Amino acid sequence: GDVYKRQDQDRQPLQKFLGQIPWEWAPILEELAGQVAQELGSPKGVLVVDCSGIPKQGRCSVGAARQWCGRLGKVENCQVGVYLAYVGPEEHTLVDFRLYLPKEWSRDRRRRKRAGVPVGVRFQTRHQLALQMIQNRRQVLPHGWIAGDDEMGRNSQFRAQLRKMDERYFLAVPRNTLIRDLEAQSASGRRTSRRKPPYQRVDQWAESAAEWRPIEVRRGERGPAQIEVITRRVQTRLAARQGPEELLVIFRTLQNGQAVRHDYFLSNAAPQTPLEELVRVWKASWRIEECFQRAKSEAGMDQYQVRNWIGWHHHQVLTLLACWFLVRQKLREKRAPSGGAASY
């Protein structure tokens, strides 16, 4: 009954609360991270970073510009947020975010002022924003891995910064990534020791790889269940320089015995890391897409009419809180005694 009483109420106070009244969202995110750590925290946790684009018309919405929009699969006028998710053994949820402000915005004083962008905000790459979130949350959220898609993994400096932070990563990389196989065999079957093999694209290397191992993927998790994996110790290439040694992990999806998809990953994990652990982190990296789906379909993450800086951030933090509420309700149902109802 109370819901119906609120239907005809003036929405102006709520719109002012979102887009005009200044209130700090950083302490709320700190509280959120603390609650997530308490409810879901585990040494096996995975921090996953990813970007999400929200299509927008015009030039007035803060951060809106022609840029890659993953939701549409093309370059389009949109806003892009960089997000951090926590994936625990039981559940997963978004815990932090940053608005990506393109260079054209960082240089346009008139547009910045109109959208309320704080004076101290400067241009930062998506990778810098991701590192900022990881740095802020890694002490609170127990975890063993950092994961991300190929937009994050393709940047060698991003991987280097994670190594400096002593973080273990498992990051997707594009098919044209250059690698040198450090376990390559000579024609005689012996490991090459004096002459190093040449660098080659990782997709070309995968075409001739022969030591694939089948793995099990539960039905409904992702695509066909026929998946194979191969791991190899490789050396990456940084521009014209020799890069670090990393662990290459490739998953390939088969249909009727034919490879229809390859997913490439680089990690600084030890070569002897169990395959089961690598597969677990691979699966965990998918969960941020489920977080986005929940946020957009159940909490209205992409449904707003605010245009300015504080309005966007207020809406996002309230979305993350709504998603966390849904996750906690789900956890209560799971943890309720068998045959009994969860208490609220």
Side-chain angles (χ1 to χ4, degrees), residues 57 66 84 114 124 197 204 247 253 276 304:
Q57 300 294 325
R66 285 191 60 80
L84 179 69
R114 191 180 302 160
Q124 289 182 293
Q204 295 173 348
L247 182 64
T253 303
E276 294 77 13
Y304 54 84

Side-chain angles (χ1 to χ4, degrees), residues 226-237:
Q226 194 176 3
I227 307 290
E228 293 180 335
V229 63
I230 190 171
T231 62
R232 191 62 58 99
R233 189 169 57 90
V234 301
Q235 192 166 53
T236 53
R237 190 172 180 84

Side-chain angles (χ1 to χ4, degrees), residues 65-302:
R66 285 191 60 80
Q67 53 193 324
W68 177 259
C69 182
R71 178 176 175 180
L72 300 178
K74 61 179 180 179
V75 174
E76 191 55 83
N77 202 68
C78 65
Q79 292 170 303
V80 173
V82 186
Y83 294 85
L84 179 69
Y86 184 77
V87 181
E90 285 188 279
E91 263 293 343
H92 41 276
T93 191
L94 297 172
V95 293
D96 207 348
F97 61 88
R98 295 291 186 276
L99 175 65
Y100 172 68
L101 202 65
K103 285 185 178 179
E104 63 185 79
W105 269 86
S106 64
R107 299 168 180 169
D108 192 332
R109 293 183 179 179
R110 179 179 296 180
R111 196 151 55 141
R112 286 171 59 102
K113 184 176 181 180
R114 191 180 302 160
V117 179
V119 175
V121 174
R122 296 291 182 263
F123 172 75
Q124 289 182 293
T125 67
R126 300 179 188 188
H127 302 91
Q128 289 172 328
L129 296 173
L131 286 169
Q132 189 180 90
M133 290 189 293
I134 292 169
Q135 184 67 51
N136 289 347
R137 306 301 174 201
R138 68 189 188 122
Q139 299 299 330
V140 175
L141 295 163
H143 62 282
W145 296 85
I146 305 291
D149 67 358
D150 62 358
E151 180 177 359
M152 292 294 151
R154 74 172 68 233
N155 187 291
S156 59
Q157 290 304 312
F158 180 71
R159 305 198 307 269
Q161 288 299 317
L162 290 177
R163 287 193 294 272
K164 283 185 178 181
M165 294 163 64
D166 199 27
E167 291 285 357
R168 187 170 52 166
Y169 59 77
F170 186 85
L171 298 168
V173 292
R175 66 181 64 189
N176 63 351
T177 301
L178 295 177
I179 57 104
R180 170 186 282 160
D181 186 354
L182 297 179
E183 300 179 38
Q185 292 183 335
S186 65
S188 63
R190 297 178 180 178
R191 301 289 180 183
T192 57
S193 57
R194 295 182 180 178
R195 187 176 181 181
K196 294 181 179 180
Y199 286 100
Q200 62 183 137
R201 285 171 51 126
V202 67
D203 57 349
Q204 295 173 348
W205 181 90
E207 289 179 2
S208 58
E211 301 174 12
W212 297 93
R213 289 173 284 179
I215 61 173
E216 291 185 5
V217 177
R218 292 200 304 270
R219 183 178 300 175
E221 284 197 338
R222 181 178 172 181
Q226 194 176 3
I227 307 290
E228 293 180 335
V229 63
I230 190 171
T231 62
R232 191 62 58 99
R233 189 169 57 90
V234 301
Q235 192 166 53
T236 53
R237 190 172 180 84
L238 306 180
R241 297 184 296 106
Q242 178 176 288
E245 292 187 13
E246 298 183 79
L247 182 64
L248 172 67
V249 184
I250 305 177
F251 295 92
R252 73 176 182 182
T253 303
L254 304 176
Q255 285 184 350
N256 300 321
Q258 299 295 318
V260 296
R261 178 187 174 95
H262 289 79
D263 294 302
Y264 311 98
F265 296 85
L266 286 175
S267 175
N268 61 337
Q272 62 269 26
T273 303
L275 178 60
E276 294 77 13
E277 178 68 0
L278 296 174
V279 173
R280 183 186 72 83
V281 181
W282 177 52
K283 293 178 180 179
S285 68
W286 312 341
R287 302 305 180 200
I288 194 166
E289 294 300 332
E290 296 177 7
C291 290
F292 287 145
Q293 179 63 29
R294 176 190 290 148
K296 292 177 180 179
S297 63
E298 300 182 42
M301 186 172 101
D302 57 348

